[in-house]
Amino acid sequence: MIKITDITLSCLDEYDAPSDKLKKLCEFLVRMGVDFIEMSTDAYRKIKDLPENGKYILKIKNREEFGIYAGFSRYSCKHIRFAASPDVISEIQLNDVQEIASLKLHAAVLENIRVVGLDDIIGHDYINAFNNMKSGVCKRLELCPENGCYCASAIAVEWLMQGGSYAASSFCGIGGKAATEEIIMALKLEKKYKVGAEFPFLPQMREVIEEITGEKISCGKPVVGDGIFDVEAGIHVDGISKDPKIYEPFSPEIVGGKRKLVIGKHSGRSALLLKMNELGINPKEVDLKKLLCIVQKASIKKNASLSDEEFKRICHNIWGK
Amino acid sequence: MKPLKHIVDTTLRDGEQSPGYALSKEQKVFIAKLLDDAGVFQIEAGIPALGPYEKDTLCEIVDSTKNAKISVWNRLNENDIRHSFDCRPDIIHISAPVSYAQIYTKLRKNKAWIIKQLSVCIDLAKSMGYEVTVGFEDASRADITFLSVLASAVMEMGVKRVRLADTVGVLMPSRCFGMVKDLIGCTGIEVEMHAHNDLGMAVANSIAAGKAGADYIDTTLFGIGERCGNCDMKKFICASEAVFSLKISRLVSEMLEESTSDLLVK
């Protein structure tokens, strides 16, 4: 059975996030349905009352904190010497595939291990490496791949698809980890996890993260980018008008997105007609070839696609209001 | 010894056709020259059927580059191919829809029509002496048996290389590896991987394809492309230079990004 731990709330300490934003983020993570939500002690102090229905893990720095913050179902910690308690997940950093052999030594004394790192494992025989990890015989082995080689989400998904049960990740991959939303969506498409689930709140979740970090998430960010359902190229517009599945991996509605027809240099004639219809522009006779030529020139001059207002202006200049 | 992989850059075709981009002739030629100087094996420079402006641009790219092979993208029809002749490229790339959704829903045709039409288009391009590569559009959602049949068919038509396009970005590395391995195993054809990043796996899938025997990897600068983009050149090089021999170093890919960021970063 697949279990995903989201560790976003233990990756945000450097941003001095306000408590209401952290609480909101925590509520979204509960709605997302991740199996465990991990947070730092700093985040926990700010959130105070944790939303119901979540299962929480507290990331602690030392043995003292283990005593101070009672009541969590699990704790995670980098210092493994005191972590032999079954409640504590011991984080072990592996920077190289060769280091996987050392896991057996840890597994002999630890029940819960989280392997962090293995950024470049995709370039190696990772299926064999995963099998070696699983044969280490610890009770709970979680993989938290890091994104130094831009493959963290793929590594996490492969780990879970190859029989691993536990993976840890963060929303939008914050902190250099795998991206929770990418893992969930990949597994959902494979019908392995959250099969019937929808996530219409993802755009709001993205905004909360943007407010906390002060950084805009790229409009092309997989799953949550606000431009991932924009379409301009003639061949794509034609395909999507026949059936969106032709050029979309999943429906925008599943992730709270919206399809948007953009007019620009690469538009085709059918796209112009669709956009005119969308904007209520209905001239008696339409010279699409001429319109396409004007649109292309305007778009190249602007060095970008046209806004709906700019397109309207072009149409009005040709046919009047 | 690390296996050699060739970079096929499609910034000026698949990258530029994504919403938000509208490069002028001068800008496209500028980027093509940089890619050429950097050691890119092949530059997919655009789509001749877009019109006279694009064709002028492509002609100038052909005349301004010295090292890279210049390829142009075509739909599966003769008119597109004829437009390409006007641009005198090194390679004519013909994109053939191969999934059920693409063949039956988009084109409203059938598999037999695809094979017949490929034969017509390839013959036309070959008759003018062009090297032809064929793209299997939406290959990741297609039947591997059909891909093998098609690959064998185009090999008989004189095509040496096919592009496997993960058009909607739904592959994961193990499936990508299997698909490439199976196709090469069944047919012996050369494979070019074209990955999209809808699930954040374009770099990983491109590495998996390379490990399975794909000798050509499609990339774009900054990973620009439809929806979530294509395989990012710099990221691919950073992630795979320990595994593959590449003609472009990490440093050069960084310099390419520095030189083009004004044009390509929105």
Side-chain angles (χ1 to χ4, degrees):
Chain A
M1 188 184 294
I2 290 172
K3 299 281 183 190
I4 294 177
T5 302
D6 183 277
I7 63 169
T8 312
L9 290 166
S10 58
C11 297
L12 296 170
D13 287 357
E14 65 180 282
Y15 298 105
D16 195 24
S19 56
D20 61 323
K21 302 289 180 207
L22 290 175
K23 186 157 191 170
K24 194 81 195 158
L25 190 57
C26 191
E27 287 167 358
F28 280 132
L29 288 168
V30 172
R31 283 179 70 186
M32 211 172 177
V34 291
D35 299 284
F36 301 98
I37 297 169
E38 181 186 279
M39 61 187 67
S40 65
T41 53
D42 189 40
Y44 174 53
R45 279 197 303 270
K46 287 180 177 174
I47 296 173
K48 285 182 192 159
D49 300 321
L50 299 176
E52 287 180 11
N53 303 323
K55 286 184 186 169
Y56 299 101
I57 296 171
L58 188 70
K59 189 176 182 85
I60 52 176
K61 296 185 190 78
N62 50 48
R63 183 190 291 268
E64 287 69 42
E65 287 189 337
F66 185 49
I68 294 168
Y69 299 99
F72 280 81
S73 60
R74 284 205 171 87
Y75 299 81
S76 68
C77 189
K78 282 184 181 169
H79 298 273
I80 60 169
R81 286 196 175 183
F82 83 93
S85 158
D87 293 336
V88 178
I89 301 163
S90 304
E91 276 195 5
I92 296 169
Q93 182 84 31
L94 297 184
N95 296 321
D96 192 290
V97 179
Q98 306 299 325
E99 294 176 19
I100 287 173
S102 69
L103 263 185
K104 285 200 169 131
L105 297 172
H106 298 300
V109 290
L110 298 169
E111 286 191 19
N112 292 321
I113 292 176
R114 173 185 294 163
V115 170
V116 180
L118 296 178
D119 309 47
D120 66 345
I121 198 169
I122 286 287
H124 297 270
D125 180 359
Y126 63 86
I127 291 179
N128 191 36
F130 287 161
N131 287 334
N132 287 338
M133 286 166 69
K134 285 183 280 178
S135 68
V137 204
C138 86
K139 196 172 168 188
R140 184 188 194 276
L141 179 61
E142 184 172 66
L143 180 60
C144 179
E146 292 191 307
N147 204 32
C149 289
Y150 312 103
C151 295
S153 296
I155 296 167
V157 170
E158 284 291 340
W159 163 251
L160 295 170
M161 292 294 290
Q162 303 296 333
S165 296
Y166 299 93
S169 55
S170 61
F171 186 66
C172 289
I174 199 153
K177 311 297 184 200
T180 304
E181 69 281 5
E182 291 172 9
I183 298 171
I184 289 177
M185 196 51 68
L187 295 172
K188 180 180 165 62
L189 293 180
E190 290 290 323
K191 298 193 171 21
K192 297 286 184 189
Y193 189 73
K194 306 285 175 203
V195 176
E198 296 199 355
F199 312 96
F201 49 84
L202 285 181
Q204 296 149 268
M205 209 169 162
R206 181 190 70 223
E207 283 170 19
V208 173
I209 276 287
E210 287 176 337
E211 285 163 4
I212 290 173
T213 62
E215 290 167 21
K216 179 100 175 86
I217 302 283
S218 157
C219 64
K221 165 75 188 68
V223 185
V224 299
D226 63 3
I228 62 175
F229 296 103
D230 290 1
V231 59
E232 177 184 316
I235 190 171
H236 283 235
V237 173
D238 177 54
I240 282 175
S241 68
K242 288 172 180 159
D243 183 352
K245 286 194 193 87
I246 292 172
Y247 283 115
E248 286 173 355
F250 45 83
S251 298
E253 295 76 24
I254 291 175
V255 293
K258 204 174 170 192
R259 195 173 298 124
K260 186 179 166 196
L261 172 59
V262 176
I263 296 296
K265 180 183 172 186
H266 301 90
S267 293
R269 295 175 197 193
S270 62
L272 299 185
L273 284 173
L274 285 169
K275 182 54 92 177
M276 285 162 65
N277 190 40
E278 183 187 311
L279 298 174
I281 302 167
N282 301 301
K284 282 182 186 164
E285 286 183 18
V286 183
D287 184 348
L288 282 177
K289 198 174 171 188
K290 182 181 168 189
L291 179 59
L292 199 59
C293 189
I294 295 171
V295 162
Q296 282 185 352
K297 279 184 184 164
S299 184
I300 291 165
K301 190 176 176 191
K302 186 187 172 190
N303 253 197
S305 309
L306 304 180
S307 68
D308 284 356
E309 282 307 311
E310 288 165 330
F311 181 65
K312 262 189 204 171
R313 221 173 296 137
I314 287 172
C315 292
H316 289 158
N317 286 342
I318 299 173
W319 298 295
K321 290 193 180 181
Chain B
M1 196 169 146
K2 293 186 284 187
L4 176 66
K5 303 295 168 189
H6 298 298
I7 298 284
V8 177
D9 187 87
T10 184
T11 306
L12 299 176
R13 200 280 298 175
D14 211 9
E16 202 222 353
Q17 77 173 33
S18 58
Y21 294 96
L23 298 172
S24 67
K25 178 161 85 172
E26 293 71 27
Q27 290 166 337
K28 284 189 74 159
V29 172
F30 171 75
I31 293 171
K33 281 181 178 173
L34 288 174
L35 291 167
D36 186 45
D37 290 342
V40 165
F41 175 80
Q42 181 180 329
I43 300 167
E44 186 170 61
I47 308 170
L50 272 179
Y53 186 83
E54 180 80 344
K55 284 209 263 191
D56 281 353
T57 306
L58 290 167
C59 287
E60 194 156 330
I61 288 173
V62 168
D63 291 339
S64 311
T65 48
K66 295 175 234 136
N67 309 307
K69 285 177 182 276
I70 305 299
S71 59
V72 294
W73 191 93
N74 298 265
R75 289 168 296 183
L76 189 55
N77 70 58
E78 293 155 270
N79 273 345
D80 273 27
I81 311 289
R82 289 199 180 89
H83 282 301
S84 287
F85 294 159
D86 297 336
C87 304
R88 302 168 281 105
D90 298 301
I91 295 173
I92 288 184
H93 179 82
I94 303 169
S95 181
V98 294
S99 67
Y100 186 94
Q102 292 265 343
I103 298 171
Y104 294 91
T105 311
K106 188 178 82 170
L107 295 182
R108 292 167 184 155
K109 302 287 184 188
N110 56 39
K111 290 177 178 175
W113 183 89
I114 295 288
I115 295 175
K116 191 178 168 207
Q117 193 65 10
L118 263 172
S119 170
V120 170
C121 291
I122 291 168
D123 281 352
L124 177 62
K126 286 268 175 195
S127 71
M128 298 297 283
Y130 283 99
E131 179 181 346
V132 175
T133 60
V134 170
F136 289 170
E137 188 178 3
D138 208 12
S140 47
R141 294 191 296 183
D143 167 25
I144 186 68
T145 311
F146 181 54
L147 297 186
S148 297
V149 169
L150 262 189
S152 299
V154 299
M155 279 177 88
E156 282 182 17
M157 297 170 203
V159 172
K160 290 180 182 160
R161 187 201 327 167
V162 293
R163 165 187 287 178
L164 294 184
D166 181 19
T167 301
V168 293
V170 291
L171 272 181
M172 60 182 62
S174 52
R175 279 215 298 125
C176 184
F177 183 92
M179 186 172 77
V180 174
K181 195 89 180 163
D182 284 353
L183 193 64
I184 293 173
C186 288
T187 64
I189 201 159
E190 292 181 351
V191 169
E192 171 184 334
M193 187 66 213
H194 181 93
H196 277 269
N197 202 38
D198 296 78
L199 297 172
M201 299 192 198
V203 172
N205 286 332
S206 299
I207 294 173
K211 282 166 62 185
D215 288 334
Y216 303 85
I217 305 295
D218 289 7
T219 64
T220 61
L221 295 170
F222 300 98
I224 67 167
E226 296 287 353
R227 302 181 307 279
C228 306
N230 293 49
C231 179
D232 183 308
M233 182 199 283
K234 187 181 83 179
K235 289 178 181 174
F236 175 74
I237 290 169
C238 291
S240 70
E241 63 186 1
V243 190
F244 303 136
S245 172
L246 302 163
K247 288 277 170 68
I248 304 176
S249 68
R250 182 188 297 229
L251 182 64
V252 169
S253 67
E254 285 169 358
M255 287 163 64
L256 271 172
E257 285 201 347
E258 272 177 35
S259 307
T260 57
S261 61
D262 287 350
L263 299 174
L264 301 177
V265 177
K266 297 288 176 189

